[in-house]
Amino acid sequence: MNTVPFSLRRALLIAQNTLLEAARQKLLLFFLLLALGLVVGARWLRDFSFGAPELKFLADCGFGAMAFFGAALAIAATAQLFFSEIENRTALTLLAKPVWRAEFILGKFLGVVAVAAFFCALLTLLLMAVLRWREGELMREFPEAFAQGGVVSYGMVALGGLLQWLKLAVLVALSLLVASFAQTQLFTIVTGFFVFVICHLQYLAQDAYTRAGSWFAQNVGGGLASVFPNFQLFALADSLNAADAPPTAHVVRVALYAAGYCAVACALAVYCFRKREI
Amino acid sequence: MSANVSSKLSAAVPAVEIRGLVKDFSSGLRGLKLRAVDHLTLRVEAGQVYGLLGPNGSGKSTTIKALLGLLEPTAGECAIFGVPSGRVEARREVGYLPESPYFYRHLSGRELVRFYARMCGMGGATLESRIDEVLALVGLTAAADRRVGTYSKGMLQRIGLAQALVHDPRLLILDEPTAGVDPLGTAAITELILQLKARGKTVLITSHLLGQIEDVCDRVAILDRGKLILEGAVSDLVGRADRQALVVEALPENELAELRAWLAARGRKLETVETPRTRLDRIFLERVGKKDA
């Protein structure tokens, strides 16, 4: 009996189809337009800067849009693109082919991660363009304040976009894990948002528990810290200056941290999905 | 092992073998068991057209899903060409058309068939010609570049057949292939099944439209509430070896009386005299088919 080995090619075909499906739907366009609107419109929201330097405020708006709408896109797209296969019964035809369920899960993951990459890349490029344009205006208006040259490091902005994408990849993997055992799309979306919030507040919980001092509280804190990734690790320092750039080793560690969580969440999703009745 | 011995051995392996299949579904909070398939045993030999018949809810689709490894059996075993259904390898030689098929609406018919062909490992120079070939076979060449979302029910059924056939599988599983399809489409599907049979393919069809199945199947199994209630060759089940029908030109009453007397002299009896009828679907096909041609 000839075996059918796991095929990365088939997983990539499923990913390609998932990306195409997302691109031809209105969901991606909707979140993209909202985020683009916020990035471009940040120029006229300076009244809410609360004294922060204008360029820093623009960058915060851009990364905020990427984080918030990116998270909404990652969770909603994962749930929608996964459950559309189940509810429309396209998974029935697909999994009746010589396809491993692991290939299906990996394909879905890579497809939505590609959607997130497109989203982050576009927003990062737009944010760079907005910063460049405003920085140019400010340099003409206040040449003395820019005597040393530009203050924005565009490498830092690109790095910020990359870190946001890594964070979204982890969120996609966690949402896919929920979808692999959830019965409804709504449950996946709601749970995905809870996970997103927990991951953002994970460091606070860990801190509070470890300060509690008791063995039980410390272990619960440690457990939570292991189960939920710390999304604060994916944030840049409060500066756009190249001098404040994180060391390369730190960026590599964060990338490995994200890859580790993605691998574990996808493996668990495959485990949950392997016996699921289609 | 010589090619001759090898081909004899592979011919001995049934295309489909189901032994003691049981499938229970839990329902409600108390987890009450609903038995969809109840100790079903079937064997489909290679090269046969086999009908799995029964009313709605009789367990036909559940059996097919268990056979394809899409559902975990509660008990029993299924195998395709001797390979257990739970294994990915079992699905390599299978083309499957699900009941009321839904496909990726964002793809065109050609893109859809290409996607499934590549999922089955096809590629290279022959891929595009094979896609053209199956699209022509199911009569969708003209609509190949339209989005699947714009297809009618009959066209969906045909593109479903194209994706099932594209990798030239040895076994074709068709779940209610003619449900909701008009008589022209049904005739085309019937014709296609007969062509596949002539090419030595095994076809497993489920349907609740018994008349349509009767025309194409070699053997049938009838399920009711998950249980096998009848199985056998169609000719054995519907034919009556102790009766014959003779079709003659219309006889006047006196000649009919002579015929009765002639038979009576030989200890025979003329049981019924009736006017042969054609079928509505044949009239429809003759009229509409001619107009379309």
Side-chain angles (χ1 to χ4, degrees):
Chain A
M1 177 171 56
N2 295 326
T3 56
V4 176
F6 177 89
S7 163
L8 187 61
R9 178 179 174 267
R10 280 196 295 268
L12 289 173
L13 276 171
I14 295 171
Q16 188 184 21
N17 188 46
T18 304
L19 178 63
L20 191 63
E21 187 175 1
R24 290 184 183 177
Q25 282 180 349
K26 294 187 174 73
L27 187 72
L28 173 64
L29 189 66
F30 174 71
F31 284 113
L32 202 56
L33 285 177
L34 281 177
L36 290 177
L38 188 62
V39 174
V40 175
R43 166 78 176 77
W44 292 274
L45 295 174
R46 279 177 299 169
D47 291 345
F48 301 98
S49 67
F50 303 107
E54 186 182 340
L55 293 174
K56 175 72 177 65
F57 175 73
L58 284 176
D60 285 348
C61 278
F63 287 127
M66 221 181 290
F68 182 75
F69 293 115
L73 176 71
I75 295 166
T78 306
Q80 208 272 324
L81 294 168
F82 182 87
F83 278 94
S84 70
E85 292 267 14
I86 308 286
E87 286 162 6
N88 295 337
R89 288 187 278 175
T90 46
L92 205 63
T93 319
L94 184 58
L95 294 172
K97 303 282 181 202
V99 173
W100 289 87
R101 292 200 176 196
E103 291 167 359
F104 178 80
I105 292 288
L106 183 63
K108 286 283 148 196
F109 170 72
L110 293 175
V112 186
V113 164
V115 172
F118 173 74
F119 177 85
C120 289
L122 197 65
L123 250 67
T124 304
L125 287 174
L126 185 72
L127 179 60
M128 284 175 167
V130 169
L131 285 170
R132 180 99 184 158
W133 164 65
R134 188 58 192 150
E135 190 182 38
E137 276 190 345
L138 290 172
M139 284 171 89
R140 278 192 295 279
E141 279 180 48
F142 310 103
E144 66 285 357
F146 292 89
Q148 306 287 317
V151 293
V152 176
S153 161
Y154 292 95
M156 281 280 276
V157 178
L159 181 62
L162 176 71
L163 290 173
Q164 288 294 333
W165 173 65
L166 287 174
K167 185 175 80 176
L168 293 184
V170 176
L171 192 57
V172 169
L174 293 173
S175 301
L176 196 58
L177 170 57
V178 177
S180 68
F181 61 80
Q183 294 301 313
T184 65
Q185 193 171 329
L186 183 64
F187 177 84
T188 306
I189 291 175
V190 171
T191 311
F193 269 104
F194 274 120
V195 168
F196 175 67
V197 172
I198 291 169
C199 291
H200 263 290
L201 301 178
Q202 183 254 30
Y203 77 103
L204 289 175
Q206 190 187 2
D207 201 34
Y209 280 124
T210 47
R211 273 188 206 166
S214 77
W215 176 90
F216 177 77
Q218 280 182 352
N219 279 283
V220 169
L224 274 176
S226 312
V227 171
F228 293 100
N230 179 5
F231 277 179
Q232 294 298 329
L233 290 176
F234 299 91
L236 276 178
D238 284 343
S239 168
L240 291 174
N241 201 311
D244 298 321
T248 309
H250 172 77
V251 176
V252 171
R253 265 202 305 277
V254 171
L256 290 174
Y257 180 80
Y261 268 100
C262 288
V264 171
C266 284
L268 288 172
V270 170
Y271 180 80
C272 294
F273 190 63
R274 80 195 196 290
K275 300 273 183 191
R276 183 167 176 153
E277 298 190 336
I278 307 296
Chain B
M1 194 187 302
S2 73
N4 195 22
V5 174
S6 172
S7 74
K8 275 183 185 166
L9 275 178
S10 68
V13 175
V16 170
E17 191 164 27
I18 298 172
R19 277 180 297 186
L21 179 68
V22 177
K23 181 62 196 175
D24 291 335
F25 290 106
S26 297
S27 66
L29 288 173
R30 286 188 293 168
L32 293 173
K33 295 272 188 266
L34 174 74
R35 181 150 290 185
V37 182
D38 194 356
H39 295 94
L40 177 66
T41 297
L42 283 181
R43 188 181 161 102
V44 180
E45 300 298 341
Q48 278 183 348
V49 178
Y50 196 100
L52 197 55
L53 315 178
N56 293 330
S58 58
K60 304 182 299 288
S61 295
T62 305
T63 303
I64 296 299
K65 286 182 183 177
L67 181 63
L68 289 166
L70 300 169
L71 289 178
E72 182 90 353
T74 307
E77 295 167 355
C78 305
I80 297 174
F81 292 113
V83 183
S85 287
R87 300 180 67 102
V88 175
E89 294 80 23
R91 301 193 286 275
R92 188 159 42 192
E93 293 285 359
V94 182
Y96 171 53
L97 172 70
E99 184 184 0
S100 308
Y102 287 86
F103 296 111
Y104 301 108
R105 296 169 60 87
H106 63 280
L107 297 180
S108 70
R110 187 184 301 281
E111 287 171 335
L112 185 88
V113 178
R114 187 184 294 123
F115 171 71
Y116 285 117
R118 293 178 74 193
M119 289 308 293
C120 292
M122 293 182 73
T126 56
L127 177 64
E128 292 304 319
S129 61
R130 178 63 188 161
I131 291 168
D132 288 339
E133 195 182 321
V134 288
L135 285 169
L137 188 69
V138 300
L140 277 179
T141 304
D145 296 312
R146 263 171 58 190
R147 290 245 180 121
V148 171
T150 66
Y151 280 11
S152 68
K153 168 90 183 164
M155 291 166 90
L156 280 176
Q157 211 76 2
R158 283 189 277 156
I159 201 72
L161 276 169
Q163 65 78 27
L165 289 168
V166 70
H167 59 299
D168 197 23
R170 285 159 68 200
L171 170 65
L172 202 67
I173 298 177
L174 310 176
D175 197 355
E176 303 278 2
T178 55
V181 179
D182 65 26
L184 277 178
T186 301
I189 291 171
T190 305
E191 178 60 32
L192 184 65
I193 292 168
L194 292 173
Q195 279 179 33
L196 292 167
K197 184 188 173 185
R199 285 165 52 196
K201 305 290 182 191
T202 311
V203 185
L204 175 61
I205 315 170
T206 75
S207 183
H208 61 275
L209 304 170
L210 309 187
Q212 291 170 2
I213 291 295
E214 190 184 320
D215 295 339
V216 291
C217 287
D218 300 313
R219 292 183 76 83
V220 292
I222 300 179
L223 301 184
D224 186 31
R225 280 174 257 179
K227 286 188 177 167
L228 180 66
I229 56 169
L230 189 68
E231 202 268 350
V234 174
S235 53
D236 294 344
L237 294 174
V238 299
R240 291 189 62 183
D242 60 342
R243 294 289 185 275
Q244 279 181 307
L246 308 173
V247 180
V248 296
E249 286 179 13
L251 293 174
E253 200 52 45
N254 61 330
E255 289 181 16
L256 199 58
E258 280 176 32
L259 181 62
R260 280 202 177 94
W262 186 84
L263 286 169
R266 282 156 185 79
R268 308 283 182 194
K269 188 181 163 195
L270 184 63
E271 286 187 352
T272 55
V273 177
E274 60 188 14
T275 306
R277 291 159 64 97
T278 185
R279 282 166 34 176
L280 273 176
D281 58 347
R282 291 216 176 108
I283 296 173
F284 182 91
L285 285 176
E286 279 171 19
R287 299 290 171 90
V288 180
K290 269 181 198 163
K291 201 172 76 181
D292 285 358

